[in-house]
Every structure is written in C-alpha cells, then in structure tokens.
Amino acid sequence: MAELVLSLAKRARRTALIHAVRGRPDLTIGQLDALLADSAYADDLSQITIDELLVASTDVRALRIRPGESVERAVLRVFHQLPSQPLASGFFCRYMGLERWTAQKLLADMAERGLLVRSGKTSGTRYRLSPTRFS
C-alpha cells in the first residue's frame, strides 16, 4: 500500500510541475536551466519531456472515438472541447488513432463544408471550429 501511495504522490508532483511550467509560457530556456540547477524540483523537472509540455491538458481518454460514434462526430466533439485551440491533422492521428491521410481528408472536407476554419499550408495547416459552430 505504501508503494502505491508513493507512486501516486510522485505522479501528482510531476503533473503539478507540468501544469506549472505550461502556465508560464514566458519561461525561457535559460530560466528553465536555472530551475534545473537550483531548484528543489530539479530532479523531477529534468525528467519532463517537451512532448509532455505540448500535450493539451485535456484528458486524452476523452479524445478517443466512442463506440457507435462517427469519426466526424468525434472530431467535432474534440473541437468543442478545445474551441480556441487550432489543431493539426497530426493531433487526430496521435490521439484518435486516425491514419494521416484519413485525418487530412476529413479535416479538409469539414473545412470545405464550413464546419471548421483552415489556416496555414502544408505541415503548418491548422483547423479550428468555425465561429458559426460554437453554439
């Protein structure tokens, strides 16, 4: 039981540090380096990856396609959960398990129909929920 408690405490501390760093978008690499050198949290901070900092704080399980739900409906649900967040097709590949071409085609089709707004080109393409779809 003590091992479980210790494991949960470590996970909670790590999660709290990730949220704290995410909450400081003005933090520079130099400042982060100083925290790693002088902080009581240095060991924990040194184990956090850039990928963990970039992942949206939304529960990843909530992003999965639900039984009986169409892929398009699932994608719209995700955009409603993250209405101001521009998302790339890779986001849906990673968190929903879609193939790259499937995600790209679906998002492009949804943008063409006015459900989403597209910005950027090639690998910089991002989509967000159309302002008329916020309701």
Side-chain angles (χ1 to χ4, degrees):
M1 182 67 161
E3 195 173 300
L4 175 62
V5 170
L6 183 59
S7 174
L8 290 173
K10 284 182 180 180
R11 189 180 319 159
R13 180 178 169 131
R14 181 184 184 91
T15 300
L17 285 170
I18 290 169
H19 287 292
V21 173
R22 281 184 189 154
R24 292 282 316 273
D26 58 322
L27 191 65
T28 67
I29 296 293
Q31 291 168 324
L32 189 55
D33 187 46
L35 283 173
L36 289 169
D38 300 331
S39 169
Y41 303 105
D43 287 340
D44 295 312
L45 282 169
S46 69
Q47 300 300 313
I48 295 172
T49 66
I50 297 294
D51 194 44
E52 287 175 293
L53 294 174
L54 295 177
V55 172
S57 58
T58 302
D59 183 359
V60 173
R61 292 172 300 203
L63 302 177
R64 301 225 168 92
I65 300 170
R66 297 173 181 163
E69 183 177 45
S70 72
V71 175
E72 182 174 308
R73 182 68 199 124
V75 167
L76 279 175
R77 179 174 43 80
V78 170
F79 276 107
H80 279 283
Q81 289 174 330
L82 306 166
S84 61
Q85 176 109 14
L87 301 172
S89 60
F91 177 91
F92 295 96
C93 297
R94 179 179 216 168
Y95 295 108
M96 296 182 97
L98 300 180
E99 294 294 325
R100 185 173 68 127
W101 292 110
T102 301
Q104 288 173 341
K105 179 161 179 29
L106 177 65
L107 293 168
D109 289 346
M110 291 172 73
E112 214 171 281
R113 294 189 343 249
L115 299 171
L116 303 175
V117 175
R118 178 184 172 150
S119 62
K121 293 183 185 219
T122 62
S123 62
T125 302
R126 301 290 182 268
Y127 296 88
R128 61 181 169 76
L129 196 58
S130 174
T132 60
R133 295 293 177 173
F134 278 107
S135 52

